[in-house]
């Protein structure tokens, strides 16, 4: 999603801003821009649709210099993808603004501002921020004062950075619903929507909280909280171990991240599980007291994380004997729901900043859930800070927009949690041992599954000219089929749907013909015979199938069915293992189709707008 970078220093900040934007590129965007105040107190701006490279080329042709500046990568929500709609936005050639989020009341603000004489140069909601602040400046004591007065007029979500060419010593930033982090340097300070953008210049960060407005100079940071009270916020040393870095020889980040899965799943297990079971204290002090009481779980998530939650429901109910509901965050937050006794709210999010999931957590607190736990990949993120308990997935920075290793580490974390809650709830020793053994052998199974790479690469050729695909699974493999379909849609733009295979006869069978490939995930579990009947239903209607199956499941390749044998694996962790071939399939189909694998069209990572 949109990225923000700002800097105030003694040196020229142009390259810091561009490097910061590049580090946020992976989140997906459609245009980029930068604004600076130069030594003569003149405000300059360059904006380009397309990649940051276009912006960089433009700046190479007409270089800019300034020791204070703001920059942005935009993922359009209001107004088309044009140079004019790209940020920064100006008011009266004095105030410059970048913004992540949505100003929901922008239309009424526009009307008021128009009647005050302001001309709008863009179709964006963001431009109302610039003009409102400019208007407030007329009676304000300072830029900070004007921003504080302005934010009271905005409904919706914003992370915004404001610069005034008449005060080139100060940046003012405001956060409500969209994250911002201040980076502390020596004699220079920075602001960004994600600490990753600032890692080349600092590792010391202050995470702004909801409602904070801050004034940043080269040597000082002053923060006012949502009540306008001056507050001290803790300084964090970044825990990000390694820089997202390069592709390590892989053609795409996505392929690198697919291949990292055995390692990151091992990392997720390390220090938490040994051959005997879970180690004590891994959910934090006092967590056991809370987890002992849990009798119901409500999972809330979006996209791929929602599929992880759906898989966990099968595990929690089957193995931990704990009832569980799973819901898409954007639905959960806008409907009346009931809170069961002793209910734990679990949020799942790679970034920890997913706007709908965060809003759902806040709502759950009001509704009176017993406690909240987040399964998240980014330490210090909003979900981690606002949840009672957090469990980090340790996947490392995920750059590909289409999530891979974040998903399998989420599943690993959720299976560990199943074990924990099960043990709090009378799980038998045999069952616990079975989960422990399955988890401990998981990294090796994932490694073995990656050996299918070549075979799946060849298989992908058969999908390149298809427009639709159907994914089938049963039980805990149904969400894996959903995730497989999502991956194919996201990066190859082939329309793909997933069905619980028992549902075929209730509608989707009508779609079957030899132009509709059917992908089946078929581990050797108790639902195998049922699944085989569903496969026959497809065969009888002339469907072409690709079956990912355990060898012992006894599927045979023939004219209408191609079988890809997956290494034998304990059925407990089969959903995690069967995810990998589906990721590889989507990846290779996308490569053959020549799409932008790491930054697919229209999509963004870390979805910080509602
Ligand atoms: N609403 C603004 C910013 C959009 C955004 O934050 N995307 O992630 C616009 O459309 O320009």
């Amino acid at each position: 999603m949109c990225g923000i970078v700002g800097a105030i220093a003694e040196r020229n900040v142009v390259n810091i801003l561009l490097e910061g934007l590049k580090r946020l590129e992976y989140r997906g965007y459609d245009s980029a821009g930068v604004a600076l105040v130069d030594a003569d107190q003149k405000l300059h701006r360059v904006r380009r649709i397309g990649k940051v490279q276009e912006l960089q080329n433009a700046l190479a042709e007409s270089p800019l210099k300034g020791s204070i500046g703001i920059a942005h990568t935009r993922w359009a929500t209001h107004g088309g993808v044009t140079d004019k709609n790209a940020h920064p936005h100006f008011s009266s050639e004095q105030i410059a603004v970048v913004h992540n989020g949505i100003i929901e009341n922008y239309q009424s603000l526009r009307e008021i501002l128009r009647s005050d004489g302001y001309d709008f140069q863009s179709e964006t909601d963001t431009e109302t921020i610039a003009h409102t602040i400019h208007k407030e400046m007329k009676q304000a004591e300072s830029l900070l004062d004007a921003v504080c007065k302005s934010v009271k007029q905005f409904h919706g979500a914003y992370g915004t950075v404001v610069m005034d060419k008449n005060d080139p010593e100060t940046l003012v930033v405001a956060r409500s619903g969209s994250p911002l982090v201040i980076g502390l340097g020596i004699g220079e300070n920075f602001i960004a929507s994600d600490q990753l953008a600032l890692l080349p210049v600092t590792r010391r960060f202050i995470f702004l909280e909801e409602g904070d407005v801050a004034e940043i100079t080269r040597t000082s940071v002053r923060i006012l909280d949502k009540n306008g009270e001056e507050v001290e916020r803790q300084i964090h040393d970044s825990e990000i171990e390694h820089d997202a870095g390069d592709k390590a020889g892989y053609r795409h980040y996505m392929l690198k991240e697919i291949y990292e899965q055995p390692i990151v799943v091992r990392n997720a297990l390390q220090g938490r599980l040994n051959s005997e079971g879970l180690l004590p204290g891994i959910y934090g002090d006092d967590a056991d007291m809370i987890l002992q009481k849990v009798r119901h779980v409500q999972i809330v998530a979006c996209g791929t994380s929602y599929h992880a939650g759906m898989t966990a429901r099968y595990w929690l109910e089957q193995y931990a004997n704990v009832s569980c509901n799973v819901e898409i965050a954007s639905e959960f937050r806008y409907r009346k729901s009931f809170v069961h006794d002793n209910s734990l709210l679990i949020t799942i999010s790679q970034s920890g900043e997913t706007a709908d999931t965060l809003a759902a957590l806040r709502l759950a607190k009001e509704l009176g859930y017993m406690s909240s736990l987040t399964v998240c990949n980014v330490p210090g993120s909003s979900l981690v800070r606002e949840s009672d308990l957090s469990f980090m997935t340790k996947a490392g920075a995920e750059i590909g927009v289409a999530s891979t290793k974040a998903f399998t580490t989420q599943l690993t974390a959720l299976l560990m949690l199943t074990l924990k809650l099960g043990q709090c709830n009378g799980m038998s020793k045999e069952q616990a041992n079975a989960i422990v053994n399955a988890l401990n052998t998981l990294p090796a199974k994932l490694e073995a599954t990656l050996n299918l790479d070549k075979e799946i690469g060849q298989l992908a050729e058969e999908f390149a000219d298809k427009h639709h695909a159907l994914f089938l699974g049963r039980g805990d493999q149904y969400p894996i089929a959903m995730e497989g379909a999502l991956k194919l849609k996201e990066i190859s733009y082939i329309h793909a749907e997933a069905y619980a295979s028992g549902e075929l006869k209730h509608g989707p069978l009508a779609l079957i013909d030899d132009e509709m490939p059917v992908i089946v995930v078929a581990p050797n579990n108790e639902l195998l015979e049922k699944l085989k009947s569903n496969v026959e239903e497809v065969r009888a209607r002339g469907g072409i199938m690709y079956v990912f199956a355990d060898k012992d499941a006894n599927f045979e390749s023939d004219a209408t069915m191609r079988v890809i044998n997956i290494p034998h694996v304990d059925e407990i962790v089969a959903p995690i293992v069967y995810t990998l071939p589906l990721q590889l399939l989507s990846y290779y189909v996308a490569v053959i189709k020549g799409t932008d694998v790491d930054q697919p069209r229209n999509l963004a990572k870390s979805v910080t707008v509602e």
Side-chain angles (χ1 to χ4, degrees), residues 1-3 72-79 85 87 89 99-103 124-126 178 604 608-609:
M1 260 284 96
C2 297
H72 190 258
T73 44
R74 173 176 190 244
W75 185 81
T77 65
H78 289 62
N85 286 337
H87 302 206
H89 289 286
H99 161 228
N100 286 355
I102 292 171
I103 302 299
T124 64
D125 51 336
T126 302
S178 193
T608 50
V609 295

